[in-house]
Amino acid sequence: MPTAPSPHDTGVPPAPTGSPALREEAEEVLRRLVGDPAARLRDDQWTAIEALVAGRRRALVVQRTGWGKSAVYFVATALLRARGAGPTVIVSPLLALMRNQVQAAERAGVHAVTVNSTNGEQWGQVYADVRAGAVDVLLVSPERLNNPGFRDEVLPQLAATTGLLVVDEAHCVSDWGHDFRPDYRRIRTLLADLPDGIPVLATTATANARVTADVAEQLSVSGTRTLDDVLVLRGSLDRESLRLGVLQLPDQAHRLAWLVQHLPDLPGSGIVYVLTKDAAADVAAHLNAHGIPAAPYTGATDNAERLQAEDDLIHDRVKALVATSALGMGFDKPDLGFVVHLGAPSSPIAYYQQVGRAGRGIDDAAVVLLPGREDRDIWQYFASVGFPAEDDVRLALSVLADAGRPLSTPALEARVTLRRSRLEMMLKVLDVDGAVRRVSGGWTATGQPWAYDAERYARVAETRTVEQQSMLDYQATTGCRLEFLRWALDDPEAAPCGRCDRCGGFALPQDVDADAVSAAGADLDRPGVPVEPKKMWPTGLGALGIDLTGKIAPAERPSEGRAVARTSDLGWGTAVRELFAPGAPDGETPVGLRHAAVQVLDDWARDLGLDGVVAMASASRPVLVAHLAEGLARYTGLPLLTSFQLRPGAGATRSDVNSAHRLAAVADRFTLPDEAPVAGRRLLLVDDRVRSGWTLAVASRMLRRAGAEAVHPFVLASGD
């Protein structure tokens, strides 16, 4: 492959528009890429390639999964490199996508390398190879774009020497999209810094008309470009291989039983999508226990385990990966035989994106949705963690402005109330807006004027609500399933597919074996999850006037505790979610949870040598906590030794703040009126729920300092 170490002023003229020779050259590259001597470009593929290579234009390609968007940029890269252009830079969101694309590029004789969080030891060599002209394609994660070293040292050179910029999964650029990612907004800066005449390609399979327009406008940010200068190619979103169906089942036990009974009959191997990481672990364990090879796959899964899971699915060593949305864009298995959703995503657009993984290289693939009544609670939770309120944003800007030096994210976290994930998201948005800047050592305020766009944030939130209702409408529709999804994506060619359960082309099995339901119910009804003790105090507590740092002394920690269930669990999670739902009244422990609590206690505490029970104090649910502690004391025959009390004026604490502020809210919240009874005792510390774990850490520290030999926390619920 010819190389081009020099910038773009090579004087190489673009190929003539509409050149038959150029198309033949492009199709020869395509044949090498796909390994098929008879391969031909689709008309829209050729239109996009011609615009990039001959016209040096900016283009947005919105085409269904499996259409061949990656072929466009690899073929265009080969043609541009042959004409002396610099390397192609592809901004790619997921590591799975990068790995697949590097392998695909090599087939076409295109040398591709990647820069991401897992190969830091290779960055220096990669950058040297790019400077030497030995690299045809550089794939970078969007997070790299705002790394200070990459942004200040590497990005300007890339902008000056790039032959083609590709933004893959471009719907992530738009905050109207279902998968907006703040790091993608940095791409606008990269676009603005490109020299004139550098082609740009953005691709996605999941963009409705609003998102398409938003992305196209952002592509036209350089110089005097207007939207008219962006070529938009939208194709049909029909997927002839997909057979869609929805099955309403009464509860989680029936859904798990359906999976056990019918997953083995679905074609090949595939993906079972769930809404939470806890559900991924639980469902994978249940399938394995019933002889169906499965592995969990979430954002929290170790990278090596994720790589192994992907490889196992690609080579059919497992029947299914049980995955959250972490397995989405970019995972490429052409013969993926099915996608089953145990719980519905919050929008038809997100759903279309996920089911698009199936049936890319086979004639028939099954797509099954098994919605649950808890889906809306989960949607509501994720919707609640959107862009922060203006007061929170202004406070962060003020703290940065007053600091007089860069503040790291942990240091800033101690001075504001936002949780780490929301704080980082907010800072990335503010960075692109010019209000803050990420530098070596943390973040600084720029002092530039900044306006809180409340109207836009409200419109985005309203859009999310509309999407959620649309997902419910999809489940209830009497019309064609695929047509519904295509209309949701503003596909003007949407029409009945003739292949779904509504069109009569897919007979979704509805029988559920009673024994399988009983087995699933028994699995779900088995309560009890560990409550891990805190081992480190949060950073930055000194700024809040709290003199606690470093490790929590082992002699002041609680032991591992137990909760009846996590709020995200498939089984008892429903009961605890209802118990702690906003507006739910305080009251005695529900009968079902009483039985579950004593079952957990019997399984867990028999060898702990407990000597007594201590009750926590609660501002929001004092009746519940007292009733639970008294009931467990009666059941075990242990004495209720004492109860914590709230200091005067202590009200309910906030759960939507970061770890340091959660600890600050409880550090001096409680008193222990009578310490004598706990000395030398092994205690069961009873509370209603654990969120951050800091209430239990503070109370256990007080008990251990009062002489308790051990503290074993016990709660009904774990999680927000």
Side-chain angles (χ1 to χ4, degrees):
M1 177 75 58
T3 60
S6 59
H8 299 293
D9 54 349
T10 58
V12 178
T17 301
S19 165
L22 181 63
R23 180 159 188 169
E24 178 54 37
E25 184 182 354
E27 292 187 332
E28 179 56 37
V29 176
L30 175 70
R31 288 189 276 271
R32 294 199 304 269
L33 179 68
V34 301
D36 181 359
R40 298 290 303 274
L41 289 167
R42 303 174 190 271
D43 287 344
D44 275 359
Q45 285 177 316
W46 165 241
T47 299
I49 292 168
E50 183 183 39
L52 297 169
V53 178
R56 308 295 170 96
R57 296 187 63 185
R58 297 188 174 193
L60 170 60
V61 173
V62 183
Q63 298 282 359
R64 67 183 184 272
T65 301
W67 176 84
K69 297 180 288 294
S70 61
V72 171
Y73 48 75
F74 283 136
V75 170
T77 293
L79 299 182
L80 287 166
R81 292 287 280 162
R83 286 156 178 76
T88 291
V89 175
I90 302 176
V91 181
S92 184
L94 291 181
L95 301 182
L97 182 60
M98 292 185 179
R99 290 189 289 272
N100 290 333
Q101 291 184 330
V102 167
Q103 295 167 4
E106 297 295 342
R107 292 198 296 269
V110 175
H111 179 48
V113 295
T114 179
V115 173
N116 61 69
S117 60
T118 68
N119 69 342
E121 74 284 353
Q122 301 173 16
W123 293 354
Q125 186 60 51
V126 167
Y127 298 150
D129 290 346
V130 170
R131 287 191 293 271
V135 170
D136 300 312
V137 173
L138 175 65
L139 293 105
V140 299
S141 63
E143 292 78 15
R144 285 296 97 203
L145 299 179
N146 204 32
N147 173 274
F150 187 89
R151 181 196 63 211
D152 297 336
E153 299 171 20
V154 179
L155 202 56
Q157 182 182 6
L158 285 179
T161 61
T162 293
L164 168 66
L165 175 64
V166 177
V167 182
D168 213 354
E169 306 296 350
H171 60 272
C172 295
V173 172
S174 174
D175 56 7
W176 296 106
H178 74 276
D179 198 20
F180 168 61
R181 303 188 181 194
D183 289 300
Y184 260 73
R185 296 185 59 159
R186 176 59 54 187
I187 292 170
R188 293 194 298 184
T189 303
L190 179 56
L191 288 167
D193 291 341
L194 288 177
D196 287 340
I198 304 307
V200 176
L201 173 66
T203 68
T204 180
T206 49
N208 59 15
R210 182 197 291 271
V211 173
T212 298
D214 190 17
V215 174
E217 289 170 5
Q218 295 190 50
L219 288 181
S220 62
V221 298
S222 179
T224 59
R225 293 179 185 273
T226 67
L227 189 56
D228 294 336
D229 294 319
V230 178
L231 172 66
V232 178
L233 296 171
R234 280 184 62 96
S236 168
L237 298 179
D238 189 18
R239 291 292 309 279
E240 295 181 0
S241 64
L242 299 186
R243 301 180 182 276
L244 281 72
V246 177
L247 185 58
Q248 300 280 358
L249 293 170
D251 52 36
Q252 288 287 12
H254 281 78
R255 287 188 280 278
L256 275 182
W258 190 95
L259 285 180
V260 168
Q261 186 173 344
H262 295 292
L263 208 63
D265 297 329
L266 295 182
S269 57
I271 302 170
V272 176
Y273 276 110
V274 293
L275 298 183
T276 68
K277 61 182 179 61
D278 291 332
D282 292 344
V283 173
H286 186 78
L287 292 177
N288 280 301
H290 289 81
I292 302 173
Y297 189 108
T298 75
T301 304
D302 178 77
N303 184 61
E305 293 177 3
R306 290 172 72 164
L307 288 173
Q308 184 61 56
E310 291 173 18
D311 192 67
D312 286 344
L313 181 59
I314 287 171
H315 292 95
D316 299 319
R317 291 189 288 268
V318 294
K319 181 65 177 179
L321 293 188
V322 185
T324 64
S325 58
L327 183 67
M329 295 177 296
F331 182 78
D332 186 14
K333 178 177 168 60
D335 62 343
L336 196 78
F338 62 86
V339 169
V340 177
H341 278 77
L342 194 69
S346 60
S347 82
I349 300 172
Y351 185 61
Y352 179 88
Q353 189 269 328
Q354 290 178 352
V355 303
R357 304 267 64 81
R360 298 174 64 173
I362 55 178
D363 292 335
D364 292 298
V367 174
V368 181
L369 173 60
L370 305 174
R373 64 189 178 107
E374 70 281 355
D375 295 350
R376 277 171 275 190
D377 293 336
I378 298 172
W379 300 345
Q380 185 175 7
Y381 169 76
F382 285 118
S384 71
V385 292
F387 196 73
E390 183 171 6
D391 288 347
D392 291 324
V393 181
R394 296 291 180 193
L395 175 60
L397 289 173
S398 175
V399 169
L400 288 174
D402 293 343
R405 59 182 175 83
L407 292 180
S408 66
T409 304
L412 180 58
E413 184 181 29
R415 293 166 169 82
V416 300
T417 61
L418 296 172
R419 296 188 188 182
R420 179 73 59 87
S421 58
R422 295 190 74 198
L423 177 61
E424 290 177 337
M425 183 269 285
M426 180 194 74
L427 289 168
K428 290 172 181 178
V429 172
L430 292 177
D431 189 351
V432 176
D433 289 346
V436 305
R437 182 171 175 81
R438 188 179 178 192
V439 298
S440 179
W443 300 87
T444 61
T446 64
Q448 295 183 19
W450 180 81
Y452 186 88
D453 195 348
E455 182 179 350
R456 181 175 181 85
Y457 301 140
R459 291 201 308 270
V460 171
E462 182 181 357
T463 298
R464 299 289 181 266
T465 301
V466 171
E467 289 175 343
Q468 292 176 12
Q469 182 57 51
S470 185
M471 195 63 218
L472 297 174
D473 294 342
Y474 169 78
Q475 298 169 29
T477 184
T478 58
C480 173
R481 304 282 186 195
L482 188 58
E483 182 182 27
F484 188 103
L485 296 179
R486 292 172 68 186
W487 277 123
L489 282 150
D490 299 317
D491 181 356
E493 300 178 23
C497 69
R499 303 180 301 275
C500 70
D501 61 345
R502 293 303 193 207
C503 291
F506 184 33
L508 186 63
Q510 301 192 23
D511 59 303
V512 183
D513 181 76
D515 290 339
V517 173
S518 296
D523 206 1
L524 293 170
D525 285 344
R526 190 175 299 114
V529 293
V531 175
E532 298 294 336
K534 291 291 188 182
K535 296 180 180 179
M536 295 285 294
W537 298 113
T539 57
L541 289 175
L544 299 175
I546 300 174
D547 186 22
L548 294 172
T549 59
K551 291 184 179 179
I552 302 175
E556 297 182 349
R557 291 181 201 158
S559 300
E560 182 184 82
R562 284 293 184 275
V564 171
R566 296 174 294 240
T567 54
S568 58
D569 281 348
L570 296 178
W572 284 100
T574 299
V576 296
R577 278 196 305 273
E578 292 174 350
L579 180 64
F580 295 106
D586 185 22
E588 295 185 350
T589 314
V591 173
L593 285 172
R594 296 179 203 177
H595 295 162
V598 298
Q599 182 180 342
V600 174
L601 207 59
D602 286 343
D603 291 342
W604 166 62
R606 63 169 60 95
D607 297 323
L608 297 181
L610 297 172
D611 299 313
V613 177
V614 174
M616 279 307 306
S618 174
S620 59
R621 300 189 184 276
V623 175
L624 177 64
V625 175
H627 184 261
L628 178 64
E630 292 165 0
L632 292 177
R634 285 195 303 271
Y635 177 76
T636 59
L638 296 171
L640 181 59
L641 298 172
T642 187
S643 298
F644 281 91
Q645 293 184 7
L646 295 172
R647 291 190 182 277
T653 58
R654 289 177 58 183
S655 63
D656 60 341
V657 296
N658 61 46
S659 191
H661 279 80
R662 283 191 174 192
L663 175 58
V666 300
D668 195 36
R669 179 178 173 80
F670 307 104
T671 63
L672 191 61
D674 189 4
E675 295 185 351
V678 306
R681 303 292 188 102
R682 303 180 68 84
L683 306 175
L684 185 71
L685 176 61
V686 178
D687 201 358
D688 56 350
R689 72 188 299 187
V690 56
R691 284 178 161 137
S692 66
W694 291 119
T695 292
L696 296 178
V698 167
S700 297
R701 182 172 183 259
M702 294 172 67
L703 291 169
R704 296 297 301 275
R705 286 190 159 195
E709 183 180 337
V711 178
H712 299 275
F714 184 88
V715 297
L716 292 175
S718 156
D720 287 327

